[in-house]
Each structure stands twice: as structure tokens, then as C-alpha cells.
Amino acid sequence: MKYDYNQLFTKEYSGYTRIRQGVEEAFRVLEGCRLTDWQTDAALGIHALEFGTKFLLIWYKDSNHCKIRIGPAASSGEPSGLSSFDGLTDCAGMELHDFYVLMGEEPMLCLSFSDAFFHPENRLLRQYIISSEEGGHGIQSTAVPDESPFRRISTERVPTTRHFRKVIRSEETEEQFVSLLDEDGGTLIPPIYNDIELFSTEKEIYRTSIRKIIPGGTDYDLFGLCDETGKEIIPCIYPDLYYMANGFVLVMDYRHKWWVLNEQNEALFGPHNQGVDIYSHNREYLYYIEYNKDAQCEALGIYSVELRTELTDADYIRIQYLGDGTFRAQKIFGPGDVRTVLMDPYGKIIPESL
């Protein structure tokens, strides 16, 4: 079948530097994805690789021209009728381990797939080098030892999501790292954190942590938040962190003071000794916690997010915002004296409710 390189609708990269950049862009999208199909015309340098729902097309025209596309397979001008790659049985189901341009007089594209998941005791890589040759292109395959210092510990689905939590460990330091993968094996959150924990199923928010190693002392973790795309919401700088029901974040700083942050990492409340009620869904008011001497227990007070001020003392056992600018609460009047009252938007008791 005849193919037309010039009519292929995709981006072309010219020269070694640009080809290398294009390959690096593709690798960032496909790293860790598992190969499911490989169609090729090696003589012309055309390779169509499928990684689940993701698709990589490489057309290596000559040593200075290469077209690369990432995305769905069907597109105008795309080559069809390619033959299945003979070596597919050697790498089907493997994860893309590396993808780069080899140095030399003529650039050579190199793909390597890791079978460490299937054969952890061997940890072999299967390398495929797509090189230019006189009169066309060729491909060579070799199996080489995986010299990576990391060993996979586990890959398991995160409950209630479509994503996977992958755990690896450094064989040099025994330090553990965790990443988040999509359903095709692509990396969403890179393995730069020591742990990743699903914190909210409503928005799929993850608590991330970094372990600080203290030689001869006590190790500790610092916490932050990421969304499911890997975007950092809160950096890993806090000794303690809670995701609140209203979408705000309660954090503790190194002085053991509590703060409430919004989704833009802006402080709404704090510093405070005991924090706030994390279960309230109210975003207009926070219910801060302090010890009440009369009741000899922790009690609540009302804090206005808009005014950035405390509207009441912490004299309440329970507070409910009614949504119309009023509150229903159980106020502590004295030892053993707790009564239900109504309050206005400024925390003042409505006399008729007494």
C-alpha cells in the first residue's frame, strides 16, 4: 500500500534538537502505559503503537524529518493497512519505560519496554531501535538488564475511582515512592511523594506526603494535596492536614498552630490553637474550637469567612446554620445550663428564641 508522508495530518519535527523535543513530549504522555498493539511498515519508518486508549504514531522519513502524533487512532490522512509488528509477542503488555533519540550522525528513535511487573526477578528491558538505513528504515530488538535502582512493590486500583496507585522502592536507600496512574497506565501524579492517599471522593482529592529523614532522630511526614490530574493544591510543608467537608483545608504549621486554607492555598483563618470543625459543609462561616471552662469540654464559636473575624465566643455545644442568615445553637449559660437559641448573622442571640 502506498502512503504519502506529506499528506499525513500531524506535527513534523525537523533536525535532531526538534525531533528530540517531540519525542520527550510524547514520552511524558505515555510513560508507564502498557503496549496493546503495534502496527508498522518498518521499511518506510512508520510505526503505530496503541497503549489502551492512547495512540502513538511515528513516521521517521529520514535523519532530519519525523512526524509524531499522540491521540486517537482515526484521523484524516493516517496510514492504514499496516502490518502487525513481528516482535509484538515480546513486549505486548509491557510498560513503556523509555523513549528517546539516540546520539549519532543520524538520529535513531529508541523505545524500551519494561517487563519488571511480570518478571521482577529478571527485570529485563526490551529495547526497539528505529534507525534510518539506505533505501528505507530498519528496526532491531534487544533484551537488556534493567539497571533502574527502583523495584515495583504494588499497583492497585484506588477505590471508587478509575485510577491506580503504584508503589516503588529504591533498592539503594529502601525509600518508598508512590505515583498515581490512569486506567491506561499513564502517570498522573509522578513518584515524587512517599505516599498518596485518596482524601475526597467527591472531587477526587489526594493527600500527598514527603518523609523527612532525621539521622539519629525521629522521622516525620509533611503533608499536602493534589487533584487527580497531578496539579498541586497545597504543597507538602505541613506536619498535619485535613480536607474539610466544605472543600477548605485545615493544616497545622510547625508551631502547632492551625490554619484554614482555600483551594488557592490562601489563608482564611488562623493561627489558632485548636482549629475548627472539619465536618461542617458551610463555606460562609467556620466553627472554631476552644475549651469552655463552664462546661469543662471543647465548645464552638462562629467565625465569619467574609469578615475574617470571630462573631461569638466559644460558648456553644452545637451550631447549625439555617441558610437564611440565622443560626440554631445550643448555648452554654453556665455549669449544667445549656439552652437552644437562635442567632442573627452577627452572632447575636434573638431574644424571642430564649
Side-chain angles (χ1 to χ4, degrees):
M1 183 174 292
K2 186 176 181 180
Y3 310 112
D4 191 335
Y5 176 88
N6 295 322
Q7 292 182 2
L8 179 65
F9 183 71
T10 191
K11 187 174 182 179
E12 182 179 55
Y13 298 87
S14 301
Y16 173 74
T17 301
R18 294 287 297 136
I19 293 176
R20 183 187 62 188
Q21 291 173 349
V23 169
E24 290 174 350
E25 291 172 4
F27 178 64
R28 283 194 292 269
V29 175
L30 296 170
E31 181 182 8
C33 293
R34 291 183 182 168
L35 183 69
T36 54
D37 195 16
W38 188 338
Q39 304 288 321
T40 183
D41 187 330
L44 293 180
I46 306 173
H47 296 273
L49 297 88
E50 291 186 13
F51 299 84
T53 59
K54 296 179 181 177
F55 179 81
L56 168 66
L57 177 67
I58 307 172
W59 193 330
Y60 199 68
K61 182 182 179 182
D62 53 44
S63 60
N64 288 307
H65 300 87
C66 180
K67 288 189 174 182
I68 302 173
R69 181 170 67 233
I70 300 289
S75 182
S76 176
E78 179 180 309
S80 59
L82 299 175
S83 302
S84 294
F85 176 54
D86 292 339
L88 180 63
T89 54
D90 294 332
C91 57
M94 292 186 183
E95 296 181 355
L96 185 63
H97 176 82
D98 211 349
F99 179 28
Y100 55 93
V101 176
L102 293 174
M103 301 283 290
E105 294 182 1
E106 295 182 342
M108 294 187 295
L109 297 179
C110 178
L111 300 94
S112 61
F113 300 89
S114 173
D115 65 352
F117 181 76
F118 301 100
H119 305 290
E121 70 281 1
N122 297 326
R123 296 204 304 153
L124 295 178
L125 295 180
R126 177 69 63 175
Q127 287 188 342
Y128 296 92
I129 301 175
I130 307 169
S131 57
S132 60
E133 298 176 347
E134 184 177 352
H137 291 69
I139 187 165
Q140 53 182 297
S141 168
T142 55
V144 297
D146 180 4
E147 302 297 338
S148 170
F150 298 99
R151 179 180 292 273
R152 183 194 312 274
I153 303 302
S154 65
T155 301
E156 55 188 19
R157 183 181 291 276
V158 179
T160 75
T161 76
R162 297 177 292 104
H163 300 143
F164 292 82
R165 183 176 179 271
K166 177 180 176 181
V167 182
I168 61 175
R169 184 178 65 220
S170 169
E171 296 190 341
E172 297 175 352
T173 65
E174 296 297 319
E175 190 173 8
Q176 178 174 292
F177 296 92
V178 183
S179 61
L180 186 72
L181 311 179
D182 64 19
E183 55 191 338
D184 295 325
T187 301
L188 298 172
I189 301 178
I192 59 176
Y193 302 106
N194 296 117
D195 201 7
I196 296 174
E197 174 189 1
L198 181 64
F199 230 44
S200 168
T201 56
E202 184 177 348
K203 294 184 179 180
E204 194 169 346
I205 301 297
Y206 291 84
R207 184 170 78 166
T208 54
S209 63
I210 295 176
R211 173 63 56 90
K212 295 297 181 180
I213 308 298
I214 308 299
T218 302
D219 301 340
Y220 63 95
D221 294 325
L222 294 178
F223 299 96
L225 287 182
C226 279
D227 65 16
E228 77 279 8
T229 69
K231 178 183 177 182
E232 184 179 75
I233 301 173
I234 306 293
C236 285
I237 59 174
Y238 296 105
D240 208 352
L241 179 151
Y242 297 91
Y243 189 71
M244 300 172 60
N246 61 8
F248 295 150
V249 184
L250 178 66
V251 299
M252 184 180 71
D253 65 21
Y254 68 96
R255 299 172 301 169
H256 300 282
K257 300 292 184 180
W258 293 96
W259 300 77
V260 174
L261 311 177
N262 63 14
E263 294 88 338
Q264 288 73 47
N265 197 25
E266 299 168 334
L268 304 177
F269 171 85
H272 192 264
N273 288 329
Q274 292 181 267
V276 300
D277 174 18
I278 66 172
Y279 299 105
S280 169
H281 288 79
N282 190 350
R283 290 175 65 91
E284 298 177 60
Y285 302 96
L286 302 174
Y287 306 135
Y288 68 92
I289 303 170
E290 286 185 358
Y291 185 78
N292 187 285
K293 294 182 180 179
D294 289 336
Q296 296 185 356
C297 66
E298 290 185 341
L300 303 174
I302 302 174
Y303 175 89
S304 170
V305 173
E306 179 182 5
L307 300 177
R308 299 291 200 275
T309 188
E310 296 176 2
L311 301 181
T312 72
D313 293 331
D315 291 334
Y316 300 89
I317 301 298
R318 183 177 292 109
I319 302 173
Q320 179 186 8
Y321 182 56
L322 301 180
D324 58 356
T326 60
F327 301 86
R328 179 186 291 117
Q330 292 182 297
K331 178 175 171 58
I332 302 168
F333 285 90
D337 185 5
V338 177
R339 285 174 266 166
T340 300
V341 300
L342 294 178
M343 291 180 286
D344 65 19
Y346 302 100
K348 302 299 183 182
I349 295 176
I350 299 173
E352 293 81 0
S353 67
L354 290 173

